[in-house]
């Protein structure tokens, strides 16, 4: 299993390593796939500032409201996931 790191800075910036893919994003959330799980970040006015899929790195700014993990990949649209 690959290591993942998540750094949240002042609830306004999040840095993630170990991502495999970005499934979708909009101003209210970002959905990424890690090695064996999914990561969902909910927020407001969110913007992807850096994305380096080859390096597995991503930076997002905006108001971070919550971060959650899902063990199994469930096929739902990003809108369905973000409306929880």
């Amino acid at each position: 299993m690959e290591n993942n790191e998540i750094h949240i800075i002042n609830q306004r910036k999040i840095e993630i390593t170990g991502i495999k893919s970005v499934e979708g994003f909009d101003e209210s959330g970002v959905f990424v796939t890690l090695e064996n799980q999914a990561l969902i970040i909910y927020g407001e006015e969110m913007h992807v500032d850096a994305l380096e899929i080859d390096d597995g790195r991503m930076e997002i700014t905006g108001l971070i409201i919550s971060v959650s993990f899902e063990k199994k990949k469930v096929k739902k649209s990003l809108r369905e996931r973000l409306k929880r």
Side-chain angles (χ1 to χ4, degrees), residues 21-61:
S21 66
V22 177
E23 302 299 323
F25 62 89
D26 64 18
E27 287 188 347
S28 62
V30 179
F31 177 65
V32 300
T33 301
L34 304 173
E35 182 70 28
N36 291 317
Q37 57 192 345
L39 175 67
I40 303 170
I41 303 142
Y42 296 98
E44 296 175 359
E45 299 178 9
M46 299 181 68
H47 301 278
V48 175
D49 293 333
L51 176 59
E52 299 173 15
I53 295 292
D54 292 339
D55 294 332
R57 193 178 81 75
M58 182 177 208
E59 290 181 11
I60 303 162
T61 56

Side-chain angles (χ1 to χ4, degrees), residues 1-2 9 13 18 23 29 38-39 54 65-66 81 83:
M1 176 182 275
E2 186 173 317
I9 303 158
K13 181 177 183 178
E23 302 299 323
L39 175 67
D54 292 339
I65 294 173
S66 72
R81 291 178 179 279
K83 287 184 181 180

Side-chain angles (χ1 to χ4, degrees), residues 15 18-19 27 29 36 40 46-47 58 62 67 75-76 78 82:
E15 300 170 347
I19 65 169
E27 287 188 347
N36 291 317
I40 303 170
M46 299 181 68
H47 301 278
M58 182 177 208
V67 177
K75 295 192 177 193
K76 291 183 185 177
L78 176 63
L82 297 177

